[in-house]
Amino acid sequence: MGGIIYLRLKKHITVKKNSVIRLKDIAFLSGNTNLKQEINETFIYKITDSDQSVSVIDGFIVVEQLVKKFPSIEIQQFGPNQTIVQVERQNRIPSLFMVSIIWLLLFIGSAMAIMNFHYDVSMRGVQIKLHYLLTGEETNYPLWMQIPYSLGLGIGMILFFNHLFKKRFNEEPSPLEIELFKYQQDLDSYVSHYENSMNNQKNDNK
């Protein structure tokens, strides 16, 4: 009945409210024991209202529970020491009015940012001079240059962010996705540190 189980915790998972978390939900298992399936179904934690939006499951607690339930099994843990559990919020149908307001604010803000940038670098003056150098004619509106430039600016932004609505052009992550990934990493590190600090304070009080 004995054997060895190799355990690697998942770094981050998302669950629904009031979910029951079992070992298979937060960890990958490998080993040479016949109890692997039963170990996978081991109860670990139940999400409650007190968890709010985030909870942290420590690997030491997981191993301790497994050792108590399966004393004949040797547990070896690798990888992350904790699993960040994100409690999924109920999806609300967005209000068309609020979506319109946010879209309008973003549109005006981005348009003003682009126009102010072009004004600061005197883009119109540069295009006028470039038109004169290429054609020898003076004009205040070199449309043959300004229109393709404007279209290219929009296409360049689409290619830069690698998305057109829900369509993705290739598997390379966009700069926005990388920044969101970095933000999630920093958030997980903060939550993990804060949770450990709270647990240490509770243990000191005991």
Side-chain angles (χ1 to χ4, degrees):
M1 293 296 291
I4 184 170
I5 283 291
Y6 299 97
L7 172 72
R8 180 166 69 87
L9 292 179
K10 300 177 182 178
K11 191 172 183 179
H12 189 282
I13 65 169
T14 301
V15 298
K16 295 182 179 180
K17 191 175 180 180
N18 299 324
S19 295
V20 173
I21 298 177
R22 304 188 183 279
L23 185 62
K24 63 181 181 181
D25 299 321
I26 63 169
F28 300 102
L29 290 185
S30 180
N32 57 356
T33 174
N34 295 329
L35 297 176
K36 183 178 176 181
Q37 183 62 33
E38 184 178 351
I39 296 174
N40 253 326
E41 297 294 332
T42 302
F43 170 83
I44 299 297
Y45 188 70
K46 178 174 173 47
I47 300 296
T48 62
D49 293 336
S50 61
D51 293 308
Q52 297 182 355
S53 60
V54 178
S55 183
V56 179
I57 299 179
D58 192 273
F60 179 79
I61 304 300
V62 174
V63 173
E64 189 176 36
Q65 291 184 13
L66 293 178
V67 169
K68 289 181 179 179
K69 187 172 181 180
F70 305 97
S72 62
I73 303 297
E74 180 182 352
I75 309 292
Q76 293 193 12
Q77 181 185 347
F78 299 90
N81 295 321
Q82 295 172 325
T83 296
I84 308 295
V85 181
Q86 185 81 35
V87 181
E88 191 177 39
R89 298 178 181 178
Q90 293 181 349
N91 294 328
R92 297 180 180 178
I93 300 176
S95 168
L96 182 61
F97 174 76
M98 290 301 298
V99 171
S100 301
I101 292 296
I102 294 173
W103 179 88
L104 185 62
L105 290 174
L106 292 174
F107 178 81
I108 295 175
S110 59
M112 290 183 63
I114 293 173
M115 289 189 294
N116 288 332
F117 167 76
H118 285 81
Y119 179 80
D120 289 340
V121 299
S122 300
M123 181 62 71
R124 181 168 176 265
V126 172
Q127 291 175 341
I128 291 173
K129 290 180 179 179
L130 187 59
H131 171 81
Y132 177 75
L133 290 174
L134 293 175
T135 65
E137 299 178 357
E138 293 186 359
T139 179
N140 292 327
Y141 303 100
L143 298 180
W144 69 273
M145 186 181 300
Q146 292 175 339
I147 292 176
Y149 174 80
S150 300
L151 294 175
L153 186 64
I155 295 172
M157 293 298 292
I158 292 175
L159 295 177
F160 179 75
F161 286 104
N162 197 24
H163 274 86
L164 179 61
F165 299 107
K166 293 185 178 182
K167 181 176 176 57
R168 190 184 186 95
F169 300 111
N170 54 56
E171 296 181 356
E172 182 179 349
S174 69
L176 182 60
E177 289 174 323
I178 293 175
E179 290 301 320
L180 289 174
F181 176 75
K182 290 180 179 178
Y183 171 77
Q184 187 63 54
Q185 282 188 318
D186 293 339
L187 184 62
D188 290 345
S189 298
Y190 171 80
V191 170
S192 179
H193 173 77
Y194 180 77
E195 186 74 13
N196 285 334
S197 299
M198 293 294 293
N199 290 335
N200 291 335
Q201 290 179 3
K202 290 179 181 178
N203 292 331
D204 292 340
N205 292 334
K206 289 181 181 180

